[in-house]
Amino acid sequence: NITTRLGEIFKSLKKKGKLSKKDVEKGLKDIRLALLEADVNYKVVKEFIERLKKNATGERVLNSFTPGETLLKVVFEELTNFLSPKEKIEIKTDGKPGIVMLIGLQGSGKTTTAVKIAHFLRKKGKESLLVPCDLKRPAAVEQLMIMAEMDKLPFYKIREKTIAKIGLNAVSFARKEGLSPVILDTAGRLHIDDTMIDELINLKKLLNPKEILLVLDSMTGQDAVNIGLEFQKKVDFNGIVLTKMDGDARGGAAFSLRYVTSRPIKLIGTGEKPDDLELFHAERMTSRILG
Amino acid sequence: GIFRTKSFNESIPVFEEILLSSDVGITATNEIIKRLRESRIDYKTEEDTIHFISKILTNILDAVEEKKRETSPPYTILSVGVNGTGKTTTLVKLANHFKNKGENVLLVASDTYRPAGVEQLSIWGKMIGVDVLKSQKGQDPAAVAFDAIESAFSKNYSVVLIDTAGRLHTKKNLMEELKKVKNVLNKKRRDLPHDIFLVLDATTGQNALSQAEIFKDSLDVTGVILTKIDGTAKGGIIFAISLEVGIPVRYIGTGENVEDLIEFDPKIFVASLFE
Ligand SMILES: Nc1nc2c(ncn2[C@@H]2O[C@H](COP(=O)(O)OP(=O)(O)OP(=O)(O)O)[C@@H](O)[C@H]2O)c(=O)[nH]1
Ligand SMILES: Nc1nc2c(ncn2[C@@H]2O[C@H](COP(=O)(O)OP(=O)(O)OP(=O)(O)O)[C@@H](O)[C@H]2O)c(=O)[nH]1
Ligand SMILES: [Mg+2]
Ligand SMILES: [Mg+2]
């Protein structure tokens, strides 16, 4: 349990007054365990602790009157620094129409997130078009249609039999109706399924979406690094959405993903309703990961 | 070989890395390493080490195995778990599996919450030729479960598979809703449901352990089904679940098609960790 573990690290460091390098190493060892328990990737933890060692065994910590507190502050700042996006968070919707594409593994929350994004953009005065691009999963189109209806969001009624035709016709429909952006909900797929990855690559080439979001379940474990790197290498994306953050998963996968892909985490899903979407907040994520 | 080292002590950190990167988690990994050290076996080759490590891992899984007990029809399974893990798809695979064994199967769509949830199950039912009991929109899932058993009695279904809406284990009112479904089945007949399967996604990290603990506390889950093992995740969390919660794994989901379900085999699972 991270809260008790960090509490233990803190207590034992506090008792020490001035810290020796050895004390700091022990503190870092405990922080390593805390990060692993939070699902941060094994290799990412290794590298991160190495970086921390440089800052943590410097003047700031060793000469502090409250070195335990200062060490934890250094860890908190380093982690937050990594998680923070380098620019203001926004969904690129420019274009006639703009195009947003949601990708990710099976069950991560893409369809629900598509509706949330349309809802979010409407609050900002943008009327988007929700487009179902999952012809594989039974009732996937109905699922998106029903959710769009319930929230009175524009939905593209498909007659086409291929994803490519749906995409092209939906874009010209949106242009005609003055709707922007087009939000493409794609089928869940494995990062190692070449046929399905090719489908994404082709759709991307055809429609040139300015915003491609990787939708990742916040309870993802060590595999987050594989998932992120493969999707980045084969398709590429410019932002991440972390879903199911209303649960109690610590979300270390978010840190791993950001660390290895350098892509910003833009949004978090906090429930099953259309308005359960929030902008990503780095400090809150750090406290969550560290407990 | 994997270890590329000669000495036993040198192989320990390599082995630790394999376990941690497979989502086994710190606590279970430490327990496994402890058992390895206590074994005091003289490892001469890498084969020896892997062979003995595999034995330790398999023993952990075997320790929670249960003999299949006799059940009177209808054999009733309740499928539960957090959102998106593959409950609905897995239930369809089970339905197909039992149908192929000659059973008279009823699928019950008691996810009345998810948009097109009932539709998803009924489309699958048509595809595999299995009857689906459809619920009304917003109908109480406990009421649907009750109707399902009544229907099973009157129409002689021998297997009843009940799907439920995904829910986070942290949502108390939703966990209460599931308890109510279980109680209604109990009241209908004391032995029902025969199995409550917690469907876990193999890509989930340590949170799967909390899910297992809370679902077990709340419903006394009888088995785990681990899905999406066809990805690159190893599903090592099941060692922690075996050690700390004591629920056996019964099936593994290996894809999105109806035949992508295998009965859990500890030896094969352990071997896959070293691939
Ligand atoms: N609690 C919670 N549930 C969520 C969240 N986002 C999605 N869900 C639920 O997760 C489940 C899966 O969501 P979907 O939107 O169908 O996921 P998907 O990625 O489109 O799934 P596939 O199309 O099958 O790959 C549903 O039960 C959703 O209601 C979230 O932020 N919080
Ligand atoms: N690759 C792979 N995908 C799977 C597997 N099992 C299920 N899926 C996919 O995971 C997604 C979610 O499956 P569902 O059966 O809808 O999951 P669920 O738990 O019923 O979801 P909710 O009812 O929303 O909680 C779908 O896209 C399935 O095709 C599996 O073993 N492997
Ligand atoms: Mg979907
Ligand atoms: Mg379902």
Side-chain angles (χ1 to χ4, degrees):
Chain A
N1 174 350
I2 195 120
T3 335
T4 46
R5 189 181 291 286
L6 270 200
E8 293 298 319
I9 304 176
F10 204 22
K11 261 206 265 124
S12 69
L13 289 178
K14 244 182 166 179
K15 290 200 218 117
K16 297 239 166 197
K18 282 276 180 104
L19 292 184
S20 68
K21 273 200 170 181
K22 234 170 167 257
D23 293 327
V24 171
E25 297 220 347
K26 170 83 182 33
L28 288 179
K29 258 194 155 192
D30 287 340
I31 287 174
R32 168 183 175 269
L33 294 182
L35 292 175
L36 286 172
E37 277 175 350
D39 284 327
V40 181
N41 182 273
Y42 180 93
K43 290 204 177 74
V44 172
V45 171
K46 218 176 194 173
E47 284 188 28
F48 182 68
I49 296 291
E50 279 307 314
R51 293 176 64 106
L52 268 189
K53 255 197 191 129
K54 300 197 180 69
N55 298 0
T57 47
E59 298 281 315
R60 186 176 164 200
V61 172
L62 295 178
N63 294 341
S64 158
F65 285 114
T66 54
E69 275 185 53
T70 308
L71 176 59
L72 285 176
K73 234 198 203 123
V74 168
V75 176
F76 193 95
E77 285 175 4
E78 284 284 309
L79 196 46
T80 304
N81 215 358
F82 259 105
L83 287 170
S84 298
K86 292 298 166 264
E87 349 171 296
K88 176 166 179 289
I89 294 174
E90 59 160 15
I91 307 223
K92 295 202 186 68
T93 57
D94 48 299
K96 274 216 158 74
I99 304 186
V100 178
M101 185 164 95
L102 298 178
I103 68 179
L105 294 181
Q106 291 89 346
S108 62
K110 297 172 294 301
T111 304
T112 310
T113 301
V115 175
K116 290 176 183 179
I117 291 179
H119 179 98
F120 174 84
L121 290 175
R122 183 171 52 193
K123 283 202 260 162
K124 305 199 149 187
K126 294 205 164 73
E127 204 63 4
S128 27
L129 179 67
L130 285 165
V131 182
C133 293
D134 180 357
L135 299 178
K136 213 163 126 262
R137 176 184 166 140
V141 176
E142 283 86 337
Q143 179 193 6
L144 186 62
M145 179 168 73
I146 293 171
M147 291 190 79
E149 256 175 41
M150 297 206 296
D151 202 40
K152 304 214 170 43
L153 296 162
F155 173 80
Y156 182 71
K157 290 201 165 65
I158 63 175
R159 289 144 302 185
E160 300 83 351
K161 297 259 156 63
T162 69
I163 308 284
K165 290 211 184 77
I166 293 174
L168 288 172
N169 292 348
V171 167
S172 39
F173 177 80
R175 192 176 292 128
K176 210 162 85 261
E177 300 289 313
L179 297 169
S180 178
V182 161
I183 300 175
L184 307 166
D185 174 29
T186 68
R189 71 204 63 219
L190 294 178
H191 45 301
I192 52 172
D193 182 338
D194 292 330
T195 314
M196 289 301 281
I197 291 294
D198 283 342
E199 174 185 270
L200 275 187
I201 295 173
N202 292 335
L203 193 60
K204 179 184 179 186
K205 279 207 189 101
L206 188 67
L207 302 178
N208 192 15
K210 292 263 163 28
E211 185 79 32
I212 301 179
L213 296 170
L214 177 67
V215 178
L216 185 85
D217 195 324
S218 59
M219 53 182 101
T220 306
Q222 297 290 307
D223 204 40
V225 166
N226 289 335
I227 297 165
L229 288 177
E230 288 302 299
F231 269 109
Q232 180 176 44
K233 179 172 79 190
K234 295 170 182 171
V235 185
D236 207 2
F237 50 93
N238 58 315
I240 298 162
V241 180
L242 284 181
T243 61
K244 306 175 203 170
M245 288 281 283
D246 44 320
D248 61 353
R250 293 257 278 292
F255 177 54
S256 310
L257 201 55
R258 166 74 169 158
Y259 191 91
V260 304
T261 66
S262 302
R263 295 293 181 253
I265 301 163
K266 296 195 177 189
L267 302 164
I268 63 171
T270 57
E272 303 190 66
K273 303 218 172 53
D275 78 338
D276 292 329
L277 188 74
E278 297 173 13
L279 287 180
F280 176 69
H281 193 285
E283 286 198 0
R284 281 186 219 145
M285 192 75 211
T286 299
S287 346
R288 181 180 180 124
I289 291 176
L290 290 178
Chain B
I2 312 175
F3 292 101
R4 290 190 202 100
T5 56
K6 285 274 144 48
S7 99
F8 170 65
N9 274 328
E10 286 180 290
S11 71
I12 295 269
V14 178
F15 183 56
E16 191 187 51
E17 175 160 350
I18 292 177
L19 292 179
L20 286 176
S21 61
S22 304
D23 286 312
V24 173
I26 279 286
T27 310
T29 296
N30 288 342
E31 174 62 23
I32 293 163
I33 300 284
K34 173 164 162 285
R35 291 185 190 192
L36 194 60
R37 287 190 197 277
E38 284 172 353
S39 69
R40 297 168 174 281
I41 291 196
D42 181 17
Y43 305 93
K44 298 231 168 36
T45 65
E46 177 171 308
E47 277 73 31
D48 283 347
T49 320
I50 294 184
H51 175 76
F52 194 77
I53 288 168
S54 302
K55 272 191 121 216
I56 293 181
L57 293 173
T58 316
N59 286 345
I60 290 175
L61 299 175
D62 286 338
V64 291
E65 265 318 295
E66 293 168 352
K67 287 200 215 67
K68 285 233 178 69
R69 49 207 144 78
E70 282 301 314
T71 63
S72 329
Y75 169 48
T76 303
I77 296 176
L78 188 62
S79 160
V80 303
V82 306
N83 309 69
T85 56
K87 297 176 292 301
T88 304
T89 310
T90 301
L91 218 58
V92 169
K93 294 173 182 178
L94 282 173
N96 192 54
H97 165 79
F98 286 116
K99 169 168 181 273
N100 290 342
K101 286 180 139 191
E103 303 285 346
N104 190 12
V105 183
L106 177 67
L107 273 166
V108 183
S110 48
D111 176 357
T112 56
Y113 176 76
R114 178 180 171 128
V118 172
E119 194 61 13
Q120 180 190 10
L121 197 61
S122 86
I123 291 174
W124 269 118
K126 280 204 193 69
M127 293 207 279
I128 63 172
V130 167
D131 292 343
V132 177
L133 180 72
K134 299 200 197 85
S135 48
Q136 302 302 329
K137 183 162 190 322
Q139 189 179 359
D140 178 6
V144 182
F146 184 90
D147 289 346
I149 303 301
E150 297 251 297
S151 182
F153 287 161
S154 63
K155 301 202 180 117
N156 286 327
Y157 288 110
S158 56
V159 174
V160 173
L161 304 172
I162 305 174
D163 191 19
T164 65
R167 69 206 62 220
L168 294 180
H169 49 297
T170 48
K171 312 230 158 140
K172 292 217 153 63
N173 57 327
L174 297 182
M175 294 305 288
E176 284 305 310
E177 178 183 83
L178 270 186
K179 274 203 192 129
K180 195 160 160 251
V181 173
K182 180 183 180 181
N183 290 338
V184 160
L185 291 171
N186 273 172
K187 287 215 168 67
K188 199 80 190 102
R189 208 172 76 191
R190 285 213 348 235
D191 59 329
L192 304 177
H194 300 107
D195 271 314
I196 300 182
F197 289 150
L198 174 62
V199 180
L200 293 175
D201 188 328
T203 59
T204 302
Q206 297 308 300
N207 198 249
L209 187 57
S210 324
Q211 293 172 26
E213 284 165 345
I214 295 185
F215 274 90
K216 176 99 192 345
D217 261 354
S218 172
L219 300 170
D220 197 16
V221 162
T222 60
V224 161
I225 299 183
L226 191 68
T227 61
K228 309 180 199 174
I229 205 72
D230 46 314
T232 48
K234 295 287 187 166
I237 197 73
I238 65 167
F239 295 105
I241 292 175
S242 296
L243 284 172
E244 300 176 45
V245 192
I247 315 172
V249 180
R250 299 284 295 275
Y251 297 93
I252 304 264
T254 60
E256 302 191 73
N257 297 319
V258 77
E259 56 279 344
D260 296 332
L261 188 76
I262 56 177
E263 298 209 14
F264 180 64
D265 181 331
K267 284 211 182 63
I268 296 180
F269 186 86
V270 169
S272 73
L273 276 190
F274 296 108
E275 273 157 26

